Each structure stands twice: as structure tokens, then as C-alpha cells.
Amino acid sequence: MNNGSAFGFGVRSRLPGRQGRTGVISTPHGPIRTPAFIAVGTKATVKSLLPASVAELGAQAVLANAYHLYLQPGPDVVEQAGGLGSFMNWPGPTFTDSGGFQVMSLGVGFKKVLAMNVDGRQADDVIAPGKNRLATVDDDGVTFKSHLDGSTHRFSPEISMRIQHQLGADIIFAFDECTTLMNTRGYQERSVARTHAWAQRCLAEHRRLTAERPGRPYQALFAVVQGAQYEDLRRKATQDLLAWADNGTGFDGFGIGGALEKENLGTIVRWVCEELPDAMPRHLLGISEPDDMFTAIENGADTFDCVSPSRVARNGSIYTSRGRINITNARFKRDFGPLDDDCDCHTCGHYTRAYVHHLFRAKEMLSATLATIHNERFVVRLVDRIRCSIDEGTFEELRAQFLGRYYAAAGRAGV
Ligand SMILES: [Zn+2]
């Protein structure tokens, strides 16, 4: 660690024979017990929830997005407000991602499914059908058009660092190039080399900005490992980034980014984590389903974020211990039980399926709030239970019991 201030990570217990572990990340705004699910607040809000509700449902930290906050309201506004936490009235730990994923994925039209739309085609330059190119990557950075008004902007490693320093989150990420599984092996190699060069530039700018603002809480910088589905690229990328961290003045942690599919998620996380020393916290960028969470944690992820629980909640899709249900379905019209019998959230404690069904049918705003509280609590609590199971040596039992129930019933529940 390169700060001597409030950032650090310590391992508490381990999953025997695996990379998985529990621990605590210390930040200037409090600790994060890991593994932890980080709630996504893209535009400095977890959509439809008051921060008090986010805290009550057990979320330990919030992750916002540099691209969105750069375009609106502008990082200078957030800085003037006292940083991301003050601006949004969230007193706990905060993360920002670098904006690279949004700049490039919105730019090529794949949106959030960048790594998922694989149809076997590979090319150096891939773009979604029917989309105009809105982002162009070169060795110095990325030029892109705003998805809000079409205006032209440029991100570089230095610009991303300046924006993230203005936003002031406790944990920030190096600016990286996001590729897709459709890019060729040759392109992936060049991209990893470019991401390394950018990481070095991020680190230099991060050090300069940190030195310039000695009175501020230290912001921890995480490198991002790319390399798609190639073991040699992932391992070498990790080693090369770690070489800069090893002298005590480098990165504070690692993000695992880029092209991950369900089938290779655990393997890729394991390759990266096997290369990393204990003291380096590892963040997995963007995963979704309960089985993916067990897999990621088992293979060494300490924190991860996912927009899915809140996004699907707003469409009436509800996580339950017996699989996902769609609460707008007619069969819930007179169902006066809670969303999930097994849930301890505010929604399940005070409202019925019939009422939430009614709110969605009537297009009432409270529908989004009640459904989001429940889905976020569902995921936070699941990860809390996984953490306890590692501490207590019951990880495999929990996984078999939880996933057996969740997926066995998913078909019957009518997703
Ligand atoms: Zn609930």
C-alpha cells in the first residue's frame, strides 16, 4: 500500500484448497467485510432508493460510474459538493469505475451485454448490427460521442484519473480498454499491451494528483486485468501490473474486467487470483446470477458489483429463494404472502405480493422502490451468508442447499 493512511486489506479466513477467502477492506469511510456485494449507484443514486434504505438493507458500499457523472452533472459539481459520498448523502465507502466500459460499450452499441453477444464471429473491429460507431480507440485514449446529446468527448488515462479524483471515491479504477470475445487473439494481445501502458499512465497521474492534495482522504487505485479467455494473457497481465505494485508505490488492488462468460467465469477469476498476493483485494466487475456469485467468491473475488438486481426489479422481476418470479403475473393478484417467505427485508416485512403486483399494474413509482429494496437485500444477504459459510467451514453445504432450491424451483416459479 502506498499511503500510510486508512486503506488496507487483511484476510480473515480461507476456503480450503481454493482461492476464496474472507477479509476486511479498510477505507477512509469505514470497513467493507468481504466477500461483499457492492450496490450500483451509476449516477450517484441507487435508483429509486434513499441512501438510508440502501444502508438498512445491508449494502456496505456503493459504486458509481465516472462516464455518467462526467457527462452529468460534471465532476466539478461533485467535487464542489465535497465528493461523491457527500453529494449523494452516502456516508459509507464508495467506488467509481473508470468509465472505460461505458465509453467503449455504449460507443459500439453493445451496451451492457458487451461480452455476452457471442455468435462465433471474430474480428479486429466489431460493432453491433445497425449501430453507428460512437467510440474510437487509439493508443492515447478514446474519442466518443455522448449518449445524451451526441457531443464529442475524449477520455485518456490521465483524464479518467482527474475525473475520478474530482469524484473522490475511496476506491477508483485504472482506465482500460474493454474488448469483447469477438475480437481476435491478435487484437486481444495488442489491447492488453495498450491497457498496460494506460495503467502505467494512470498510476503516474494518480500519484501526481495524490501528492497535490495531501489534505484529502487517500483514494485507492485498482488496476484492471484484461486478456479475455486466454490464460497466458490473463496471467501475464496480472504479473506485469503486479510488478509495478510490488515496490510499495503501485496499485492498491485489482479489478478483473472484460470478456467473461458463465462457463469460464470461475476459471478466469482463478487464473488472476493465483497470481496475486494475499494483501491485494480483488474486484470483479459486473456479474449477475446467484450461481455466478458462488463461483466468483470460490475462486477469489472479494468484492463485485452488479446492476442486475435493481434493473430487473424495476421490471417486476423478483429474486426469491425458489428462483425468480415476475410479480406482474396475474396469479399474484390475490397473493397476500410476502415476496419471499425467507426474506427479512423491509418490503417483505410490511407488504404483500398482491400489493406490489397492484403497484406495478398501476405503474406507481413505489413499485420500483419496494422491488429494488427486496432484490438488493436478497443479493446482499446471500453474499453475507456465503461470507459466514467460509468463516464457519460450511461453504459447500450452503452452495448445495441454496442453489438446489433456487434453480430446482426456477422453472415452476414462472420466470
Ligand atoms: Zn424481501
Side-chain angles (χ1 to χ4, degrees), residues 138-149:
D138 58 59
D139 282 339
D140 185 59
V142 183
T143 301
F144 61 96
K145 286 199 163 69
S146 161
H147 74 288
L148 295 177
D149 62 7

Side-chain angles (χ1 to χ4, degrees), residues 43-63:
K43 300 178 186 176
T45 172
V46 179
K47 289 186 198 306
S48 84
L49 298 192
L50 286 169
S53 298
V54 177
E56 187 191 338
L57 66 84
Q60 301 182 70
V62 170
L63 180 144

